[in-house]
């Protein structure tokens, strides 16, 4: 298998108004789910082009890549690389809805234009089966490396990571409807690949499971599959048995009047991912960022909380609108130009102390820039001692709440001048060990611990 694959450059579709797209999408979804023939034929097909085998795709053009790796379900891969792609770029996988396609997702969302601004790469997987829906129901799809669509998408990510030396710690997934369900599946199957996801009108991982070859699960779509947080979490953990590493954060969107994937699925998704990420079911913060929206954050109060759930009052299944992708990028941490600069080795020092009582503790952390270059934006990595779980924090956003934690700077303290320091802190529960973390990294660089 070629490491570079084959590439077809296709005509760049025009970016039509989203209102037109969503109106068409509503009709497409209605006819598909009622079984009307020919619904999938409305998706625009890309213009054919000669096949070439360069090491990279042409910039600022939607491009089809073939022979990208293992692809058991014959997915097609479309790629958008901006002119201004950054060094070690992030990757966003944008997954289409039923009856859609990669090119339709490209032209109907603003991820490509946002990539032009921020320098990341967008992958648009495209289904070839007749329904144009992703497989989120088969036993193969719900297991890491089990086969079907998730394996093909993982191959796409690996191809981009190799070809563009992408940052493996900044790979994200987002999708609409069937693509939202696939986002849940990707984060469950490959928690070591994806850093976060954003699902628009989806269902929990495993909710659509079937064993008879059917792509549709009426009980799940109708919102009647109700489980405990632990039961939902166990489904995710079973996809990759034995995995103990960090889990990706999740952003959820759902309309209260969704008549295709009913609204109870929104609450079940929140139950699942709060359990997977080890945070409580009680929101850390609730607000209304826009009229008719209710946003709840679990595990932390900032823009990168472990779980963020946004409910849209009176909105149906086709809730995606322009402007939402920018909120997705904020949650992903991509709404800036490129990754945070790394300090040179030995250029950071951390002092960490705790004050503990019977079952709780307060931790204080001071980060010092001991180098000669100003740090613009930082992420402090550390591992909490076993049994500790962060309940709230200040000066940073903490995720996840236990295990290997990343503290990301707040809006007001992201810059650390040479010889300057920033103080942050947290409260945590513990099971008997109230010690401070023993090691820290700042933007991936090991710090001296005082």
């Amino acid at each position: 298998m070629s490491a570079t694959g084959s590439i077809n450059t296709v005509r760049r579709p025009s970016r039509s108004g989203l209102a037109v797209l969503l109106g068409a999408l509503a009709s497409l979804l209605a006819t598909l789910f009622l079984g009307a023939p020919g619904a999938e034929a409305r998706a625009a097909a890309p213009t054919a082009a000669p096949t070439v085998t360069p090491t990279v795709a042409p910039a600022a053009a939607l491009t089809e890549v073939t022979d990208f790796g293992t692809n058991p379900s014959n997915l097609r891969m479309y790629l958008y690389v901006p002119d201004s792609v950054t060094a070690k770029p992030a990757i966003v996988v944008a997954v289409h809805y039923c009856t859609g396609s990669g090119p339709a997702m490209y032209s109907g969302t603003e991820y490509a234009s946002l990539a032009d601004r921020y320098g990341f790469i967008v992958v648009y997987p495209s289904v070839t089966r007749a329904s144009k829906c992703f497989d989120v129901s088969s036993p193969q799809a719900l297991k890491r490396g089990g086969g079907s669509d998730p394996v093909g998408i993982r191959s796409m990510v690996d191809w981009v990571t190799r070809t563009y030396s992408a940052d493996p710690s900044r790979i994200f997934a987002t999708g609409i409807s069937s693509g939202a369900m696939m986002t849940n599946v990707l984060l469950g199957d490959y928690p070591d690949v994806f850093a976060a996801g954003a699902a628009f009108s989806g269902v929990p991982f495993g909710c659509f499971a079937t064993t008879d070859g059917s792509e549709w699960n009426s009980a799940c779509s109708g919102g009647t599959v109700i489980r405990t947080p632990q039961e939902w979490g166990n489904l995710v953990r079973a996809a990759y048995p034995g995995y103990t590493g960090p889990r990706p954060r999740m952003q959820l969107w759902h309309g209260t009047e969704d008549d295709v994937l009913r609204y109870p699925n929104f609450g079940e998704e929140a139950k699942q991912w709060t359990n997977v990420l080890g945070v409580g079911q009680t929101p850390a913060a609730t607000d209304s960022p826009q009229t008719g929206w209710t946003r709840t954050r679990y595990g932390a109060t900032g823009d990168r909380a472990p779980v963020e759930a946004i409910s849209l009052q009176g909105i149906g299944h086709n809730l995606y609108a322009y402007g939402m992708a920018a909120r997705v990028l904020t949650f992903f941490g991509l709404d800036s130009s490129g990754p945070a600069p790394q300090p040179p080795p030995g250029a950071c020092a951390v002092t960490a102390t705790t004050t503990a009582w019977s079952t709780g503790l307060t931790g204080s952390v001071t980060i010092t820039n001991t180098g000669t270059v100003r740090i613009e934006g930082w992420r402090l990595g550390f591992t909490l001692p076993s049994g500790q779980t962060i309940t709230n924090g200040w000066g940073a956003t903490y995720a996840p709440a236990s295990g290997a934690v990343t503290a990301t700077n707040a809006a007001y303290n992201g810059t650390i001048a040479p010889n300057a320091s920033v103080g942050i802190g947290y409260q945590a529960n513990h099971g008997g060990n109230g010690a401070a973390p023993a090691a820290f990294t700042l933007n991936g660089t090991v710090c001296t611990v005082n």
Side-chain angles (χ1 to χ4, degrees), residues 54-133:
T55 57
V56 295
L62 186 66
T63 301
E64 183 174 9
V65 179
T66 60
D67 298 327
F68 49 83
T70 305
N71 184 21
S73 55
N74 196 32
L75 297 178
R76 298 176 74 172
M77 173 184 174
Y78 294 90
L79 185 69
Y80 183 81
V81 181
D83 284 322
S84 57
V85 65
T86 62
K88 292 187 69 65
I91 301 171
V92 174
V93 179
V95 194
H96 68 73
Y97 41 86
C98 280
T99 77
S101 67
M105 191 72 175
Y106 164 76
S107 62
T109 62
E110 64 268 46
Y111 293 107
S113 62
L114 290 168
D116 290 336
R117 184 184 308 173
Y118 297 119
F120 58 86
I121 294 173
V122 192
V123 176
Y124 300 96
S126 196
V127 169
T128 57
R129 65 177 61 88
S131 67
K132 298 296 173 28
C133 296

Side-chain angles (χ1 to χ4, degrees), residues 299-302 353-355 357 361-367 378 380 382 390-398 407-413 422-428:
T301 60
T353 60
T354 59
T355 301
W357 56 94
L361 62 86
T362 299
S364 297
V365 179
T366 301
I367 308 164
W378 51 263
L380 185 73
F382 56 91
I390 293 175
T391 55
N392 64 72
W394 51 93
T397 300
Y398 299 82
T408 303
N409 65 270
Y412 59 84
N413 64 2
V422 167
I424 63 175
Y426 58 89
Q427 288 186 325

Side-chain angles (χ1 to χ4, degrees), residues 158-171:
D158 288 346
W159 187 92
V160 175
T161 302
R162 291 192 308 268
T163 304
Y164 292 91
S165 299
D167 185 346
S169 69
R170 298 194 303 145
I171 299 172

Side-chain angles (χ1 to χ4, degrees), residues 150-252:
V151 169
I153 296 173
R154 166 70 189 273
S155 295
M156 298 177 194
V157 168
D158 288 346
W159 187 92
V160 175
T161 302
R162 291 192 308 268
T163 304
Y164 292 91
S165 299
D167 185 346
S169 69
R170 298 194 303 145
I171 299 172
F172 306 90
T174 184
I176 302 170
S177 189
S178 179
M181 292 191 278
M182 178 51 69
T183 297
N184 277 266
V185 170
L186 290 172
L187 269 59
D189 285 356
Y190 297 106
D192 55 333
V193 173
F194 293 94
F200 291 83
S201 305
V203 303
F205 177 100
C207 183
F208 243 60
T210 59
T211 57
D212 60 358
S214 172
E215 295 180 34
W216 191 253
N217 185 317
S218 296
C220 178
S221 65
T224 62
V225 178
I226 307 298
R227 294 189 170 101
T228 67
Q230 185 68 29
E231 289 170 336
W232 281 123
N234 287 343
L235 288 176
V236 172
R237 288 182 284 270
Y240 188 2
Y243 177 73
T244 59
R247 295 279 180 173
R249 298 177 298 112
M250 177 62 94
Q251 183 186 64
L252 306 167

